[in-house]
Amino acid sequence: MVKVYSINDCPWCDKVKKYLKSKNVEFEEHNIEENDDDRDACYELTGDTMVPITTANDKDYVLGFEKAKLDEMLGL
């Protein structure tokens, strides 16, 4: 399952979500501003709370909006 850790009013988070939708990639959005468990999971994954974070396996992740890295991680 692909997860996107994001915050409200984040243009880079929106870009990641729009890109995934354009590639027909299903994902769960986890807003770290609205949910403490999501914030803790994001921190545990990366050691930080910078967003957007996209992960496909709760281990490997891409920070920010980098199409090439997203494509590689997701096999697109």
Side-chain angles (χ1 to χ4, degrees):
M1 170 52 70
V2 176
K3 296 178 184 177
V4 177
Y5 293 93
S6 64
I7 59 173
N8 299 324
D9 301 319
C10 169
W12 295 110
C13 301
D14 292 340
K15 286 180 187 248
V16 167
K17 292 181 280 188
K18 286 179 185 175
Y19 181 69
L20 294 176
K21 287 178 185 175
S22 77
K23 296 291 189 175
N24 296 314
V25 174
E26 292 185 23
F27 64 91
E28 293 178 349
E29 182 177 2
H30 295 267
N31 188 312
I32 68 170
E33 281 185 320
E34 297 176 359
N35 186 300
D36 290 343
D37 291 338
D38 289 338
R39 185 195 65 235
D40 293 345
C42 181
Y43 187 82
E44 188 173 314
L45 177 66
T46 67
D48 205 334
T49 54
M50 295 180 66
V51 291
I53 294 290
T54 307
T55 182
N57 57 14
D58 291 326
K59 180 182 172 191
D60 301 317
Y61 64 89
V62 174
L63 171 61
F65 178 57
E66 295 193 45
K67 287 183 187 180
K69 288 184 179 182
L70 287 167
D71 288 352
E72 181 180 339
M73 181 181 73
L74 300 172
L76 300 176

